[in-house]
Amino acid sequence: AMSTPKTSCWAAASSWIFSSTSGLGDMICISGEYYVGHYGNSPTFPPIVRKLVGSSWQQVGGTVSSSQANLMEFKYNSNLLYLAFSEGVYNPRLTVKYLNGSSWSTLGSTRFSASSYWSLFLSFGFLGTTPLVAFQDGDSLPWTGISVMRFNGAWTDVGTPGISPAAGESPSMAIFQSKIYVSYVEFSGNTYTYQLKESNGVSWTANPYYISNSAPVLNRGIYKIFLQENTGYLYAAYVDGSAGDKLTVKKYDGTSWSVVGAAGFSPEIRQLYGMTVINGTPYVAFLHYIESLDGRGLDVSVMRFDGTNWNYVGQQGIANFDLNFAVIRNDGTTPTLAYS
């Protein structure tokens, strides 16, 4: 079942959305209007987009794709709602569509990217009005590396495909000071590290000031990093293995990185769901164990930095049921959480 988006601290935006779904994909709020992307039911698991109209969630744009979707991400640019998603059961590839009145139109061609594993990771964004997507590229290395493509009449590579010299996963992309930044988890042998690359649109270089944080092999599934630009800084939230799998947030001014508050400020977490930054205030959503929850223990919580300390937003354990996935976004002033 999928829950409604909630706004802090924490009021439901509506009743339960629907109980028949294969899970949440993404959520976006545009001028006070909520859109949710989710996966349809077995056996095809297609991407479906709904909009909150009054107290009900109505499908918008009709069929997005009849193929199975694995991941999806919304962006809003130039008064258009875009959806990037991976489609296909085997060797999934990327497709980007935009809401064109009452239907979804394809940006360029469908399935334009290189092939990858079924669990294709992606990050979608814009440099000005130019769409960009970072993803796991199954053709770039013996194992999947990270590549970035942009659309300028056709989908083409930004620099050389495979910006990671070793296998990589979980890319996060942001635009900062007119450059493209992509972070990812790189693994080589038994070593897992966070990496950050930056590009002027032509070539890629490693950010020389960035963290490099080893992660235990058995726990690598929880290691993720999220980037976002806000108020003249590039923020990075990540699971900090050197702090006992707790969260650390840093910000970058174009010259150096500094820790926001204390490193390892959260409890030990099981998964970092994301970060959103509102007027210089970062919020992070994560899955962790809450001892007081009867029989279950795992739930999603949100913390924010108040300028001095990191504090919980509302109560610990917002969903109050077992989670599969959650995303945190904002409408410009208020954080919004959706989960399934």
Side-chain angles (χ1 to χ4, degrees):
M2 189 158 80
S3 148
T4 175
K6 289 186 176 181
T7 58
S8 64
C9 267
W10 287 93
S14 74
S15 60
W16 283 72
I17 298 176
F18 24 79
S19 59
S20 180
T21 177
S22 293
L24 173 69
D26 196 13
M27 180 266 295
I28 191 170
C29 183
I30 305 168
S31 300
E33 295 183 326
Y34 294 100
Y35 293 80
V36 167
H38 70 95
Y39 308 103
N41 292 320
S42 177
T44 55
F45 306 106
I48 297 172
V49 178
R50 297 180 187 268
K51 176 183 177 181
L52 181 60
V53 180
S55 59
S56 65
W57 289 88
Q58 299 180 10
Q59 187 171 346
V60 295
T63 300
V64 180
S65 171
S66 58
S67 299
Q68 176 175 325
N70 299 307
L71 292 167
M72 64 178 75
E73 186 171 344
F74 286 116
K75 281 293 183 293
Y76 186 71
N77 187 278
S78 301
N79 298 315
L80 289 175
L81 177 63
Y82 290 81
L83 181 67
F85 59 98
S86 62
E87 61 176 339
V89 178
Y90 302 104
N91 293 321
R93 300 171 187 265
L94 297 180
T95 296
V96 175
K97 295 195 175 187
Y98 61 94
L99 188 58
N100 186 11
S102 59
S103 62
W104 291 93
S105 296
T106 302
L107 186 66
S109 59
T110 60
R111 296 174 56 83
F112 60 83
S113 71
S115 63
S116 186
Y117 295 131
W118 68 270
S119 56
L120 180 66
F121 292 90
L122 66 90
S123 184
F124 182 44
F126 283 81
L127 176 57
T129 59
T130 300
L132 298 160
V133 63
F135 62 100
Q136 279 185 288
D137 181 349
D139 292 344
S140 67
L141 292 166
W143 302 98
T144 56
I146 303 297
S147 293
V148 180
M149 300 184 75
R150 66 182 157 213
F151 184 79
N152 189 9
W155 287 99
T156 58
D157 293 305
V158 178
T160 302
I163 68 173
S164 53
E169 62 183 27
S170 302
S172 179
M173 180 172 58
I175 307 302
F176 178 62
Q177 296 181 348
S178 300
K179 291 183 179 181
I180 308 165
Y181 286 80
V182 175
S183 65
Y184 56 93
V185 180
E186 183 176 278
F187 48 101
S188 178
N190 290 331
T191 302
Y192 293 79
T193 57
Y194 293 125
Q195 302 292 334
L196 179 69
K197 297 292 177 67
E198 60 183 70
S199 176
N200 57 7
V202 178
S203 59
W204 292 90
T205 58
N207 183 276
Y209 309 104
Y210 197 51
I211 56 172
S212 182
N213 190 2
S214 296
V217 174
L218 294 178
N219 293 335
R220 74 176 181 86
I222 75 168
Y223 283 81
K224 292 187 177 181
I225 187 161
F226 289 88
L227 299 179
Q228 186 178 337
E229 185 278 334
N230 190 268
T231 62
Y233 291 96
L234 179 64
Y235 289 82
Y238 60 98
V239 183
D240 192 341
S242 63
D245 293 348
K246 299 179 181 181
L247 296 181
T248 294
V249 174
K250 291 186 176 182
K251 65 180 182 180
Y252 179 59
D253 62 6
T255 301
S256 61
W257 289 88
S258 58
V259 178
V260 178
F265 60 83
S266 73
E268 181 181 348
I269 76 163
R270 299 298 178 88
Q271 187 170 354
L272 173 59
Y273 287 131
M275 171 182 62
T276 191
V277 188
I278 306 172
N279 298 324
T281 299
Y283 296 75
V284 289
F286 54 91
L287 183 71
H288 67 125
Y289 179 79
I290 303 175
E291 187 173 357
S292 61
L293 292 178
D294 294 337
R296 219 171 1 91
L298 290 175
D299 203 341
V300 61
S301 293
V302 174
M303 297 184 75
R304 68 184 287 270
F305 184 66
D306 65 7
T308 304
N309 299 304
W310 285 92
N311 301 299
Y312 285 98
V313 179
Q315 75 276 15
Q316 296 186 48
I318 297 166
N320 201 31
F321 69 88
D322 293 331
L323 289 182
N324 294 314
F325 184 63
V327 294
I328 186 167
R329 302 287 186 257
N330 74 78
D331 63 2
T333 59
T334 305
T336 304
L337 185 74
Y339 47 83
S340 63

